[in-house]
Amino acid sequence: MNFLSTNIKFLRQENNLTQEDIGKIVGKSRVLVSQWESDEREITTEDIIKLSNHFNIPMDTLVGKDLRNEDDPFDELDVLFSKNKDILTDEDKEYMKFIIEKRKREVDKMLDGE
């Protein structure tokens, strides 16, 4: 199933952007963006890539997943790790694990103090 048209509109609205703003991101007109959102015109792979990069969402998610679905929320952190997992070293992973565990201890300490 293709959710591209609804996802473009959803992401635009969630980020308080106009169709003109999206047009500037991809170098196209507001009218064309409107046609994408209403599923009247096909979007090029090049433009999908530009939107994917701008919103930091994998192309397959942008096209194939309904981002409006509250039961399956978009998690930018998951996407960030997914897109960059191949370049992370073991040292990078250990450092991130350290930061997460440190933050968890801080939150637990704050909750215990309330």
Side-chain angles (χ1 to χ4, degrees):
M1 176 145 274
N2 184 333
F3 294 99
L4 186 58
S5 60
T6 56
N7 285 341
I8 292 171
K9 185 174 183 176
F10 173 76
L11 289 168
R12 178 177 62 77
Q13 292 172 337
E14 283 292 302
N15 289 279
N16 297 315
L17 299 171
T18 64
Q19 289 176 336
E20 188 172 335
D21 294 330
I22 297 295
K24 288 177 183 175
I25 291 166
V26 295
K28 301 292 192 285
S29 72
R30 180 207 60 80
V31 173
L32 185 58
V33 173
S34 173
Q35 291 171 333
W36 291 342
E37 289 183 1
S38 61
D39 213 13
E40 295 173 26
R41 294 274 307 262
E42 292 290 320
I43 184 171
T44 66
T45 302
E46 180 181 333
D47 291 330
I48 295 172
I49 292 168
K50 288 177 185 177
L51 291 172
S52 172
N53 289 335
H54 178 80
F55 291 110
N56 197 28
I57 298 174
M59 285 179 35
D60 60 334
T61 299
L62 187 60
V63 173
K65 187 175 185 179
D66 187 350
L67 299 177
R68 301 169 302 167
N69 185 349
E70 292 183 32
D71 295 335
D72 197 10
F74 167 68
D75 186 338
E76 188 173 355
L77 191 57
D78 285 343
V79 172
L80 184 63
F81 281 118
S82 175
K83 286 179 86 169
N84 296 293
K85 67 182 175 196
D86 295 335
I87 63 168
L88 296 174
T89 65
D90 287 340
E91 185 177 308
D92 294 333
K93 292 174 187 174
E94 285 298 317
Y95 181 64
M96 285 184 245
K97 182 178 175 185
F98 169 78
I99 290 172
I100 291 168
E101 289 173 351
K102 179 181 176 193
R103 181 65 184 141
K104 184 179 179 321
R105 286 190 301 273
E106 291 170 354
V107 169
D108 287 345
K109 187 175 180 181
M110 286 187 323
L111 292 175
D112 288 341
E114 290 183 341

